[in-house]
Amino acid sequence: MEKITLITGATAGFGEAIAHEFAAHKYNIIITGRRAERLEKVKGELEKKHGVKVMALNFDVRKLEDVKKNIASLPAEWQNIDVLVNNAGLASGLNNIQEGDTEDWEKMIDTNIKGLLYVTRTVAPLMIKNKKGHIFNIGSVAGKEVYANGNVYCATKHAVDALTKATRIDLLQHGIRVTGICPGMAETEFSIVRYHGDEAKAKNVYKGIDALTAQDIAEVIYFAASRPAHVNISDVVITPTQQATATYVVRREA
Ligand code: NDP
Ligand code: 8X3
């Protein structure tokens, strides 16, 4: 059987690009996401463009029972997962702590921390059983520093950073590789989601910047996954050339 990569949140952005990058290198792909129609569309495109096999699992990473049920529903040969990319995640809102919307907070904590944990808890035992595996957690520069009004999103990505390190230690004895990927500004649907659908506000975030693309991230992940078995790339911070830290950005004049 060919190699298999499972990517959470592959209906858009990084996840979709990562799916294409691994498919281009002839991995079979398991894609997940909540938007069923988009999931089917991405599945069709992957199959047509790369001629690989694709499984689409339609579930919300926040629901533990659904995570377990969907992974368990995979035929035995599909449970032989080589690479897991814990990508599904979001920022919701950009408010100071005293005015933050607690629904936004629940969404980010439940998706970025608990969802990532649920998927890892379900897939890691399969990797241990198969005596191989590589887990990528998508963190952020927001997991390395905090910035004004980023409070809860930054906290969730700091948690991802801690979990990446902890997972690497716990899975060390099983020879499973664990890599943290920490991007800066990348133009996907991320800011549209953060601003609750306000596309003009989202566009403005990247004004005067050659932002990262989803493809930039996908290529780095494939590079790390394709290193020889004895090499583990632990942590990668990737920013646009115009971004030095989470907040220090030099924009082109209009
Ligand atoms: P997008 O909004 O373009 O994509 C997010 C993906 O996550 C979608 O496929 C979405 O699918 C999925 N997703 C969100 N919530 C859930 C859920 N509850 N269950 C299952 N899937 C879910 O954003 P990006 O591609 O930019 O973001 C991907 C990851 O990268 C996130 O973890 C984000 O925090 C991180 N990141 C992004 C940066 C950026 O600047 N873009 C920088 C640093 C990190 P669906 O809606 O169909 O469920
Ligand atoms: C996404 C990048 O700078 O908006 O994690 O936090 S940032």
Side-chain angles (χ1 to χ4, degrees):
M1 177 90 177
E2 299 91 342
K3 287 188 174 179
I4 296 171
T5 299
L6 187 162
I7 304 130
T8 64
T11 55
F14 295 171
E16 184 176 356
I18 296 161
H20 275 280
E21 187 63 22
F22 278 83
H25 291 89
K26 297 300 167 205
Y27 276 70
N28 291 329
I29 308 290
I30 304 167
I31 50 173
T32 84
R34 292 166 301 174
R35 287 170 288 182
E37 218 171 279
R38 283 237 203 161
L39 206 55
E40 282 310 310
K41 186 168 171 274
V42 173
K43 177 180 191 295
E45 287 165 354
L46 287 166
E47 287 167 342
K48 191 164 171 218
K49 190 163 178 199
H50 308 289
V52 297
K53 294 187 206 121
V54 181
M55 277 277 184
L57 300 178
N58 181 208
F59 67 89
D60 186 327
V61 295
R62 291 174 293 182
K63 298 184 178 155
L64 176 59
E65 286 314 313
D66 290 357
V67 173
K68 287 202 246 179
K69 198 172 71 194
N70 274 276
I71 303 295
S73 77
L74 288 167
E77 69 271 22
W78 279 93
Q79 294 193 13
N80 201 4
I81 296 162
D82 294 277
V83 178
L84 163 65
V85 186
N86 275 316
N87 166 73
L90 79 168
S92 192
L94 191 66
N95 286 315
N96 57 41
I97 203 87
Q98 63 276 24
E99 288 164 332
D101 178 336
T102 54
E103 263 180 45
D104 281 337
W105 294 0
E106 310 282 3
K107 234 186 267 175
M108 291 186 277
I109 292 167
D110 289 352
T111 310
N112 300 356
I113 306 176
K114 289 165 72 180
L116 177 143
L117 279 170
Y118 294 161
V119 175
T120 303
R121 176 66 183 83
T122 310
V123 174
L126 302 176
M127 291 181 161
I128 291 170
K129 192 171 104 202
N130 296 327
K131 298 188 170 56
K132 60 169 184 176
H134 194 158
I135 298 175
F136 289 86
N137 288 339
I138 309 298
S140 170
V141 291
K144 304 288 186 189
E145 315 159 49
V146 290
Y147 51 83
N149 301 329
N151 41 61
V152 176
Y153 178 69
C154 295
T156 66
K157 290 299 182 180
H158 275 70
V160 171
D161 210 45
L163 288 170
T164 301
K165 291 177 197 152
T167 305
R168 189 178 309 116
I169 293 168
D170 291 350
L171 297 182
L172 193 60
Q173 62 182 310
H174 300 289
I176 292 166
R177 301 193 282 187
V178 180
T179 300
I181 300 288
C182 304
M185 299 166 88
E187 195 163 358
T188 59
E189 293 176 12
F190 175 84
S191 290
I192 300 172
V193 173
R194 170 170 253 174
Y195 289 118
H196 302 128
D198 187 332
E199 295 195 17
K201 240 179 175 175
K203 195 88 206 142
N204 211 33
V205 171
Y206 309 103
K207 205 170 162 197
I209 294 173
D210 293 324
L212 296 171
T213 66
Q215 182 60 23
D216 295 326
I217 303 305
E219 286 173 15
V220 170
I221 293 177
Y222 182 75
F223 175 81
S226 58
R227 292 311 84 211
H230 68 285
V231 179
N232 184 73
I233 296 182
S234 298
D235 193 32
V236 188
V237 178
I238 316 157
T239 62
T241 304
Q242 290 168 266
Q243 179 179 23
T245 68
T247 51
Y248 199 83
V249 171
V250 175
R251 294 177 197 267
R252 265 189 314 276
E253 300 289 324

